[in-house]
mmCIF file of all heavy atoms in Angstrom:
data_model
loop_
_atom_site.group_PDB
_atom_site.id
_atom_site.type_symbol
_atom_site.label_atom_id
_atom_site.label_comp_id
_atom_site.label_asym_id
_atom_site.label_seq_id
_atom_site.Cartn_x
_atom_site.Cartn_y
_atom_site.Cartn_z
ATOM 1 N N ILE B 310 32.333 -41.400 29.467
ATOM 2 C CA ILE B 310 32.062 -42.772 29.994
ATOM 3 C C ILE B 310 32.903 -43.786 29.242
ATOM 4 O O ILE B 310 33.579 -44.622 29.830
ATOM 5 C CB ILE B 310 30.549 -43.102 29.862
ATOM 6 C CG1 ILE B 310 29.766 -42.243 30.881
ATOM 7 C CG2 ILE B 310 30.297 -44.587 30.131
ATOM 8 C CD1 ILE B 310 28.287 -42.219 30.610
ATOM 9 N N ILE B 311 32.919 -43.698 27.916
ATOM 10 C CA ILE B 311 33.712 -44.648 27.088
ATOM 11 C C ILE B 311 35.193 -44.571 27.460
ATOM 12 O O ILE B 311 35.868 -45.607 27.625
ATOM 13 C CB ILE B 311 33.477 -44.361 25.612
ATOM 14 C CG1 ILE B 311 32.072 -44.820 25.245
ATOM 15 C CG2 ILE B 311 34.515 -45.070 24.743
ATOM 16 C CD1 ILE B 311 31.657 -44.447 23.849
ATOM 17 N N LEU B 312 35.669 -43.334 27.610
ATOM 18 C CA LEU B 312 37.080 -43.145 27.982
ATOM 19 C C LEU B 312 37.367 -43.834 29.293
ATOM 20 O O LEU B 312 38.372 -44.567 29.434
ATOM 21 C CB LEU B 312 37.351 -41.635 28.115
ATOM 22 C CG LEU B 312 38.826 -41.235 28.022
ATOM 23 C CD1 LEU B 312 39.354 -41.496 26.619
ATOM 24 C CD2 LEU B 312 38.961 -39.764 28.385
ATOM 25 N N GLY B 313 36.431 -43.670 30.269
ATOM 26 C CA GLY B 313 36.604 -44.318 31.607
ATOM 27 C C GLY B 313 36.665 -45.824 31.467
ATOM 28 O O GLY B 313 37.608 -46.461 31.971
ATOM 29 N N ILE B 314 35.724 -46.354 30.699
ATOM 30 C CA ILE B 314 35.702 -47.812 30.522
ATOM 31 C C ILE B 314 36.972 -48.299 29.858
ATOM 32 O O ILE B 314 37.622 -49.261 30.241
ATOM 33 C CB ILE B 314 34.450 -48.206 29.692
ATOM 34 C CG1 ILE B 314 33.204 -47.951 30.536
ATOM 35 C CG2 ILE B 314 34.500 -49.689 29.307
ATOM 36 C CD1 ILE B 314 31.915 -48.027 29.763
ATOM 37 N N ASN B 315 37.430 -47.539 28.833
ATOM 38 C CA ASN B 315 38.649 -47.895 28.108
ATOM 39 C C ASN B 315 39.829 -47.897 29.042
ATOM 40 O O ASN B 315 40.668 -48.810 28.995
ATOM 41 C CB ASN B 315 38.883 -46.913 26.981
ATOM 42 C CG ASN B 315 38.106 -47.308 25.736
ATOM 43 O OD1 ASN B 315 37.622 -48.456 25.662
ATOM 44 N ND2 ASN B 315 37.970 -46.416 24.794
ATOM 45 N N VAL B 316 39.928 -46.875 29.899
ATOM 46 C CA VAL B 316 41.035 -46.799 30.853
ATOM 47 C C VAL B 316 41.019 -48.038 31.762
ATOM 48 O O VAL B 316 42.047 -48.702 31.933
ATOM 49 C CB VAL B 316 40.978 -45.496 31.664
ATOM 50 C CG1 VAL B 316 41.927 -45.557 32.866
ATOM 51 C CG2 VAL B 316 41.319 -44.306 30.782
ATOM 52 N N ALA B 317 39.776 -48.342 32.270
ATOM 53 C CA ALA B 317 39.664 -49.487 33.173
ATOM 54 C C ALA B 317 40.091 -50.762 32.462
ATOM 55 O O ALA B 317 40.889 -51.561 32.983
ATOM 56 C CB ALA B 317 38.228 -49.595 33.656
ATOM 57 N N LEU B 318 39.606 -50.953 31.224
ATOM 58 C CA LEU B 318 39.937 -52.146 30.472
ATOM 59 C C LEU B 318 41.416 -52.211 30.180
ATOM 60 O O LEU B 318 42.061 -53.256 30.300
ATOM 61 C CB LEU B 318 39.121 -52.172 29.178
ATOM 62 C CG LEU B 318 37.681 -52.629 29.328
ATOM 63 C CD1 LEU B 318 36.938 -52.434 28.025
ATOM 64 C CD2 LEU B 318 37.624 -54.095 29.734
ATOM 65 N N GLY B 319 41.963 -51.040 29.770
ATOM 66 C CA GLY B 319 43.400 -50.960 29.475
ATOM 67 C C GLY B 319 44.207 -51.424 30.686
ATOM 68 O O GLY B 319 45.146 -52.209 30.539
ATOM 69 N N TYR B 320 43.765 -50.900 31.875
ATOM 70 C CA TYR B 320 44.475 -51.261 33.091
ATOM 71 C C TYR B 320 44.383 -52.780 33.327
ATOM 72 O O TYR B 320 45.403 -53.437 33.644
ATOM 73 C CB TYR B 320 43.887 -50.507 34.287
ATOM 74 C CG TYR B 320 44.581 -50.847 35.579
ATOM 75 C CD1 TYR B 320 45.908 -50.401 35.825
ATOM 76 C CD2 TYR B 320 43.988 -51.650 36.552
ATOM 77 C CE1 TYR B 320 46.559 -50.740 36.977
ATOM 78 C CE2 TYR B 320 44.639 -51.992 37.734
ATOM 79 C CZ TYR B 320 45.939 -51.521 37.930
ATOM 80 O OH TYR B 320 46.589 -51.852 39.096
ATOM 81 N N ALA B 321 43.185 -53.343 33.096
ATOM 82 C CA ALA B 321 42.992 -54.786 33.290
ATOM 83 C C ALA B 321 43.903 -55.581 32.379
ATOM 84 O O ALA B 321 44.588 -56.532 32.795
ATOM 85 C CB ALA B 321 41.515 -55.138 33.062
ATOM 86 N N VAL B 322 43.981 -55.151 31.100
ATOM 87 C CA VAL B 322 44.820 -55.853 30.133
ATOM 88 C C VAL B 322 46.281 -55.760 30.542
ATOM 89 O O VAL B 322 46.998 -56.756 30.523
ATOM 90 C CB VAL B 322 44.592 -55.263 28.728
ATOM 91 C CG1 VAL B 322 45.616 -55.798 27.744
ATOM 92 C CG2 VAL B 322 43.195 -55.590 28.225
ATOM 93 N N TYR B 323 46.632 -54.515 30.947
ATOM 94 C CA TYR B 323 48.036 -54.299 31.366
ATOM 95 C C TYR B 323 48.389 -55.251 32.520
ATOM 96 O O TYR B 323 49.416 -55.893 32.527
ATOM 97 C CB TYR B 323 48.188 -52.836 31.763
ATOM 98 C CG TYR B 323 49.478 -52.536 32.500
ATOM 99 C CD1 TYR B 323 50.725 -52.522 31.788
ATOM 100 C CD2 TYR B 323 49.498 -52.288 33.845
ATOM 101 C CE1 TYR B 323 51.896 -52.244 32.467
ATOM 102 C CE2 TYR B 323 50.685 -52.009 34.519
ATOM 103 C CZ TYR B 323 51.885 -52.001 33.816
ATOM 104 O OH TYR B 323 53.057 -51.699 34.498
ATOM 105 N N ASN B 324 47.472 -55.289 33.487
ATOM 106 C CA ASN B 324 47.642 -56.148 34.659
ATOM 107 C C ASN B 324 47.828 -57.625 34.265
ATOM 108 O O ASN B 324 48.748 -58.313 34.710
ATOM 109 C CB ASN B 324 46.420 -55.992 35.562
ATOM 110 C CG ASN B 324 46.833 -55.731 36.975
ATOM 111 O OD1 ASN B 324 48.002 -55.435 37.219
ATOM 112 N ND2 ASN B 324 45.912 -55.859 37.909
ATOM 113 N N SER B 325 46.965 -58.060 33.386
ATOM 114 C CA SER B 325 46.993 -59.441 32.920
ATOM 115 C C SER B 325 48.296 -59.767 32.222
ATOM 116 O O SER B 325 48.893 -60.794 32.423
ATOM 117 C CB SER B 325 45.764 -59.636 32.020
ATOM 118 O OG SER B 325 45.843 -60.857 31.356
ATOM 119 N N ASP B 326 48.728 -58.754 31.423
ATOM 120 C CA ASP B 326 49.985 -58.897 30.669
ATOM 121 C C ASP B 326 51.147 -59.045 31.637
ATOM 122 O O ASP B 326 52.040 -59.894 31.448
ATOM 123 C CB ASP B 326 50.150 -57.676 29.784
ATOM 124 C CG ASP B 326 51.300 -57.842 28.818
ATOM 125 O OD1 ASP B 326 51.449 -58.988 28.289
ATOM 126 O OD2 ASP B 326 52.048 -56.873 28.589
ATOM 127 N N ARG B 327 51.144 -58.211 32.669
ATOM 128 C CA ARG B 327 52.248 -58.263 33.632
ATOM 129 C C ARG B 327 52.285 -59.611 34.359
ATOM 130 O O ARG B 327 53.338 -60.213 34.532
ATOM 131 C CB ARG B 327 52.113 -57.136 34.626
ATOM 132 C CG ARG B 327 53.303 -56.183 34.457
ATOM 133 C CD ARG B 327 53.551 -55.239 35.585
ATOM 134 N NE ARG B 327 53.107 -55.716 36.859
ATOM 135 C CZ ARG B 327 52.813 -54.864 37.841
ATOM 136 N NH1 ARG B 327 52.868 -53.571 37.620
ATOM 137 N NH2 ARG B 327 52.469 -55.314 39.004
ATOM 138 N N LYS B 328 51.076 -60.028 34.750
ATOM 139 C CA LYS B 328 50.966 -61.356 35.389
ATOM 140 C C LYS B 328 51.556 -62.431 34.492
ATOM 141 O O LYS B 328 52.344 -63.288 34.915
ATOM 142 C CB LYS B 328 49.497 -61.663 35.668
ATOM 143 C CG LYS B 328 49.098 -61.449 37.097
ATOM 144 C CD LYS B 328 47.648 -61.944 37.239
ATOM 145 C CE LYS B 328 47.055 -61.509 38.542
ATOM 146 N NZ LYS B 328 45.617 -61.703 38.526
ATOM 147 N N LEU B 329 51.195 -62.358 33.207
ATOM 148 C CA LEU B 329 51.684 -63.337 32.239
ATOM 149 C C LEU B 329 53.196 -63.299 32.148
ATOM 150 O O LEU B 329 53.881 -64.359 32.184
ATOM 151 C CB LEU B 329 51.047 -63.020 30.882
ATOM 152 C CG LEU B 329 51.257 -64.058 29.764
ATOM 153 C CD1 LEU B 329 50.653 -65.404 30.163
ATOM 154 C CD2 LEU B 329 50.623 -63.576 28.478
ATOM 155 N N LEU B 330 53.717 -62.042 32.042
ATOM 156 C CA LEU B 330 55.183 -61.902 31.964
ATOM 157 C C LEU B 330 55.849 -62.504 33.210
ATOM 158 O O LEU B 330 56.857 -63.243 33.108
ATOM 159 C CB LEU B 330 55.517 -60.415 31.848
ATOM 160 C CG LEU B 330 55.439 -59.812 30.439
ATOM 161 C CD1 LEU B 330 55.633 -58.305 30.508
ATOM 162 C CD2 LEU B 330 56.479 -60.449 29.524
ATOM 163 N N ASP B 331 55.267 -62.140 34.374
ATOM 164 C CA ASP B 331 55.789 -62.660 35.646
ATOM 165 C C ASP B 331 55.837 -64.172 35.630
ATOM 166 O O ASP B 331 56.891 -64.776 35.907
ATOM 167 C CB ASP B 331 54.832 -62.197 36.781
ATOM 168 C CG ASP B 331 55.472 -61.068 37.546
ATOM 169 O OD1 ASP B 331 56.491 -60.506 37.031
ATOM 170 O OD2 ASP B 331 54.997 -60.745 38.647
ATOM 171 N N SER B 332 54.699 -64.765 35.300
ATOM 172 C CA SER B 332 54.626 -66.229 35.337
ATOM 173 C C SER B 332 55.583 -66.859 34.348
ATOM 174 O O SER B 332 56.210 -67.870 34.634
ATOM 175 C CB SER B 332 53.174 -66.668 35.075
ATOM 176 O OG SER B 332 52.805 -66.366 33.767
ATOM 177 N N GLU B 333 55.756 -66.144 33.195
ATOM 178 C CA GLU B 333 56.716 -66.642 32.215
ATOM 179 C C GLU B 333 58.127 -66.620 32.769
ATOM 180 O O GLU B 333 58.923 -67.556 32.609
ATOM 181 C CB GLU B 333 56.628 -65.827 30.929
ATOM 182 C CG GLU B 333 55.593 -66.399 29.970
ATOM 183 C CD GLU B 333 55.408 -65.508 28.717
ATOM 184 O OE1 GLU B 333 56.056 -64.438 28.627
ATOM 185 O OE2 GLU B 333 54.597 -65.919 27.854
ATOM 186 N N GLN B 334 58.405 -65.503 33.533
ATOM 187 C CA GLN B 334 59.733 -65.373 34.139
ATOM 188 C C GLN B 334 59.976 -66.515 35.142
ATOM 189 O O GLN B 334 61.026 -67.158 35.132
ATOM 190 C CB GLN B 334 59.817 -64.017 34.843
ATOM 191 C CG GLN B 334 61.195 -63.456 34.856
ATOM 192 C CD GLN B 334 61.247 -62.092 35.580
ATOM 193 O OE1 GLN B 334 60.230 -61.604 36.052
ATOM 194 N NE2 GLN B 334 62.417 -61.547 35.677
ATOM 195 N N TRP B 335 58.885 -66.630 35.929
ATOM 196 C CA TRP B 335 59.019 -67.708 36.915
ATOM 197 C C TRP B 335 59.210 -69.053 36.218
ATOM 198 O O TRP B 335 60.021 -69.898 36.665
ATOM 199 C CB TRP B 335 57.771 -67.749 37.845
ATOM 200 C CG TRP B 335 57.745 -66.637 38.847
ATOM 201 C CD1 TRP B 335 56.847 -65.682 39.002
ATOM 202 C CD2 TRP B 335 58.731 -66.421 39.820
ATOM 203 N NE1 TRP B 335 57.143 -64.825 39.958
ATOM 204 C CE2 TRP B 335 58.381 -65.267 40.534
ATOM 205 C CE3 TRP B 335 59.963 -67.072 40.195
ATOM 206 C CZ2 TRP B 335 59.125 -64.746 41.581
ATOM 207 C CZ3 TRP B 335 60.681 -66.523 41.247
ATOM 208 C CH2 TRP B 335 60.273 -65.375 41.927
ATOM 209 N N LEU B 336 58.536 -69.265 35.177
ATOM 210 C CA LEU B 336 58.691 -70.505 34.418
ATOM 211 C C LEU B 336 60.113 -70.695 33.932
ATOM 212 O O LEU B 336 60.711 -71.766 34.064
ATOM 213 C CB LEU B 336 57.723 -70.452 33.233
ATOM 214 C CG LEU B 336 57.216 -71.764 32.680
ATOM 215 C CD1 LEU B 336 56.482 -72.578 33.776
ATOM 216 C CD2 LEU B 336 56.268 -71.535 31.490
ATOM 217 N N GLN B 337 60.675 -69.557 33.428
ATOM 218 C CA GLN B 337 62.073 -69.569 32.966
ATOM 219 C C GLN B 337 62.996 -69.924 34.125
ATOM 220 O O GLN B 337 63.938 -70.737 34.012
ATOM 221 C CB GLN B 337 62.442 -68.216 32.369
ATOM 222 C CG GLN B 337 62.096 -68.110 30.888
ATOM 223 C CD GLN B 337 62.359 -66.733 30.319
ATOM 224 O OE1 GLN B 337 62.935 -65.864 31.025
ATOM 225 N NE2 GLN B 337 62.000 -66.528 29.067
ATOM 226 N N HIS B 338 62.709 -69.226 35.274
ATOM 227 C CA HIS B 338 63.534 -69.492 36.461
ATOM 228 C C HIS B 338 63.546 -70.971 36.740
ATOM 229 O O HIS B 338 64.619 -71.576 36.938
ATOM 230 C CB HIS B 338 62.935 -68.751 37.691
ATOM 231 C CG HIS B 338 63.332 -67.295 37.688
ATOM 232 N ND1 HIS B 338 63.175 -66.482 38.794
ATOM 233 C CD2 HIS B 338 63.929 -66.536 36.745
ATOM 234 C CE1 HIS B 338 63.618 -65.286 38.505
ATOM 235 N NE2 HIS B 338 64.067 -65.281 37.272
ATOM 236 N N SER B 339 62.363 -71.546 36.760
ATOM 237 C CA SER B 339 62.251 -72.982 37.072
ATOM 238 C C SER B 339 63.054 -73.805 36.093
ATOM 239 O O SER B 339 63.813 -74.713 36.481
ATOM 240 C CB SER B 339 60.764 -73.414 37.027
ATOM 241 O OG SER B 339 60.075 -72.810 38.044
ATOM 242 N N GLU B 340 62.932 -73.461 34.799
ATOM 243 C CA GLU B 340 63.679 -74.184 33.769
ATOM 244 C C GLU B 340 65.166 -74.089 34.044
ATOM 245 O O GLU B 340 65.903 -75.083 34.019
ATOM 246 C CB GLU B 340 63.356 -73.563 32.386
ATOM 247 C CG GLU B 340 62.103 -74.153 31.782
ATOM 248 C CD GLU B 340 61.705 -73.416 30.494
ATOM 249 O OE1 GLU B 340 62.436 -72.495 30.035
ATOM 250 O OE2 GLU B 340 60.627 -73.755 29.940
ATOM 251 N N GLN B 341 65.617 -72.832 34.358
ATOM 252 C CA GLN B 341 67.025 -72.566 34.616
ATOM 253 C C GLN B 341 67.484 -73.401 35.817
ATOM 254 O O GLN B 341 68.566 -74.017 35.790
ATOM 255 C CB GLN B 341 67.223 -71.058 34.930
ATOM 256 C CG GLN B 341 67.199 -70.168 33.693
ATOM 257 C CD GLN B 341 68.418 -70.344 32.830
ATOM 258 O OE1 GLN B 341 69.616 -70.495 33.326
ATOM 259 N NE2 GLN B 341 68.216 -70.442 31.505
ATOM 260 N N VAL B 342 66.622 -73.358 36.863
ATOM 261 C CA VAL B 342 66.996 -74.114 38.079
ATOM 262 C C VAL B 342 67.231 -75.583 37.740
ATOM 263 O O VAL B 342 68.253 -76.171 38.143
ATOM 264 C CB VAL B 342 65.890 -73.947 39.153
ATOM 265 C CG1 VAL B 342 66.132 -74.981 40.300
ATOM 266 C CG2 VAL B 342 65.913 -72.547 39.705
ATOM 267 N N ILE B 343 66.254 -76.110 36.926
ATOM 268 C CA ILE B 343 66.376 -77.529 36.530
ATOM 269 C C ILE B 343 67.661 -77.756 35.753
ATOM 270 O O ILE B 343 68.446 -78.669 36.059
ATOM 271 C CB ILE B 343 65.153 -77.941 35.696
ATOM 272 C CG1 ILE B 343 63.899 -78.008 36.581
ATOM 273 C CG2 ILE B 343 65.365 -79.324 35.029
ATOM 274 C CD1 ILE B 343 62.601 -78.038 35.837
ATOM 275 N N ILE B 344 67.937 -76.808 34.795
ATOM 276 C CA ILE B 344 69.137 -76.968 33.969
ATOM 277 C C ILE B 344 70.410 -76.853 34.841
ATOM 278 O O ILE B 344 71.314 -77.691 34.757
ATOM 279 C CB ILE B 344 69.122 -75.906 32.864
ATOM 280 C CG1 ILE B 344 68.036 -76.215 31.835
ATOM 281 C CG2 ILE B 344 70.500 -75.883 32.130
ATOM 282 C CD1 ILE B 344 67.710 -75.071 30.912
ATOM 283 N N GLN B 345 70.404 -75.794 35.716
ATOM 284 C CA GLN B 345 71.625 -75.523 36.515
ATOM 285 C C GLN B 345 71.907 -76.699 37.455
ATOM 286 O O GLN B 345 73.059 -77.121 37.634
ATOM 287 C CB GLN B 345 71.483 -74.204 37.320
ATOM 288 C CG GLN B 345 71.300 -72.936 36.504
ATOM 289 C CD GLN B 345 72.310 -72.713 35.394
ATOM 290 O OE1 GLN B 345 73.507 -73.230 35.472
ATOM 291 N NE2 GLN B 345 71.907 -72.091 34.322
ATOM 292 N N SER B 346 70.801 -77.163 38.031
ATOM 293 C CA SER B 346 70.994 -78.255 39.002
ATOM 294 C C SER B 346 71.543 -79.512 38.302
ATOM 295 O O SER B 346 72.462 -80.174 38.832
ATOM 296 C CB SER B 346 69.698 -78.541 39.747
ATOM 297 O OG SER B 346 68.712 -78.920 38.856
ATOM 298 N N SER B 347 71.063 -79.757 37.068
ATOM 299 C CA SER B 347 71.596 -80.903 36.338
ATOM 300 C C SER B 347 73.050 -80.660 35.949
ATOM 301 O O SER B 347 73.857 -81.578 35.957
ATOM 302 C CB SER B 347 70.702 -81.226 35.125
ATOM 303 O OG SER B 347 70.742 -80.231 34.190
ATOM 304 N N ASN B 348 73.370 -79.389 35.663
ATOM 305 C CA ASN B 348 74.775 -78.999 35.366
ATOM 306 C C ASN B 348 75.645 -79.290 36.579
ATOM 307 O O ASN B 348 76.749 -79.849 36.408
ATOM 308 C CB ASN B 348 74.843 -77.519 35.039
ATOM 309 C CG ASN B 348 74.420 -77.214 33.588
ATOM 310 O OD1 ASN B 348 74.306 -78.168 32.775
ATOM 311 N ND2 ASN B 348 74.166 -75.982 33.280
ATOM 312 N N VAL B 349 75.165 -78.850 37.732
ATOM 313 C CA VAL B 349 75.932 -79.033 38.950
ATOM 314 C C VAL B 349 76.184 -80.543 39.158
ATOM 315 O O VAL B 349 77.303 -80.951 39.449
ATOM 316 C CB VAL B 349 75.194 -78.426 40.167
ATOM 317 C CG1 VAL B 349 75.868 -78.844 41.482
ATOM 318 C CG2 VAL B 349 75.159 -76.882 40.039
ATOM 319 N N ARG B 350 75.041 -81.296 38.931
ATOM 320 C CA ARG B 350 75.148 -82.767 39.100
ATOM 321 C C ARG B 350 76.195 -83.313 38.115
ATOM 322 O O ARG B 350 77.083 -84.056 38.486
ATOM 323 C CB ARG B 350 73.766 -83.403 38.815
ATOM 324 C CG ARG B 350 73.723 -84.863 39.324
ATOM 325 C CD ARG B 350 72.303 -85.386 39.136
ATOM 326 N NE ARG B 350 71.800 -85.171 37.799
ATOM 327 C CZ ARG B 350 70.509 -85.020 37.483
ATOM 328 N NH1 ARG B 350 69.566 -85.044 38.406
ATOM 329 N NH2 ARG B 350 70.143 -84.851 36.250
ATOM 330 N N ALA B 351 76.117 -82.846 36.850
ATOM 331 C CA ALA B 351 77.081 -83.324 35.837
ATOM 332 C C ALA B 351 78.525 -82.940 36.208
ATOM 333 O O ALA B 351 79.436 -83.739 36.082
ATOM 334 C CB ALA B 351 76.708 -82.745 34.486
ATOM 335 N N LEU B 352 78.707 -81.712 36.713
ATOM 336 C CA LEU B 352 80.039 -81.242 37.083
ATOM 337 C C LEU B 352 80.597 -82.041 38.248
ATOM 338 O O LEU B 352 81.803 -82.384 38.288
ATOM 339 C CB LEU B 352 79.969 -79.745 37.457
ATOM 340 C CG LEU B 352 79.941 -78.766 36.264
ATOM 341 C CD1 LEU B 352 79.659 -77.379 36.766
ATOM 342 C CD2 LEU B 352 81.237 -78.797 35.486
ATOM 343 N N GLY B 353 79.680 -82.354 39.182
ATOM 344 C CA GLY B 353 80.102 -83.170 40.297
ATOM 345 C C GLY B 353 80.695 -84.492 39.844
ATOM 346 O O GLY B 353 81.774 -84.901 40.286
#
Side-chain angles (χ1 to χ4, degrees):
Chain B
I310 290 165
I311 287 173
L312 199 67
I314 291 168
N315 276 345
V316 166
L318 280 172
Y320 179 71
V322 170
Y323 168 72
N324 229 13
S325 169
D326 189 39
R327 245 197 26 205
K328 259 186 192 166
L329 189 61
L330 277 173
D331 255 14
S332 67
E333 271 175 359
Q334 210 180 359
W335 286 120
L336 207 59
Q337 272 176 7
H338 280 194
S339 293
E340 275 173 3
Q341 283 288 321
V342 168
I343 290 165
I344 290 165
Q345 298 309 333
S346 60
S347 67
N348 281 346
V349 169
R350 195 175 50 208
L352 280 171

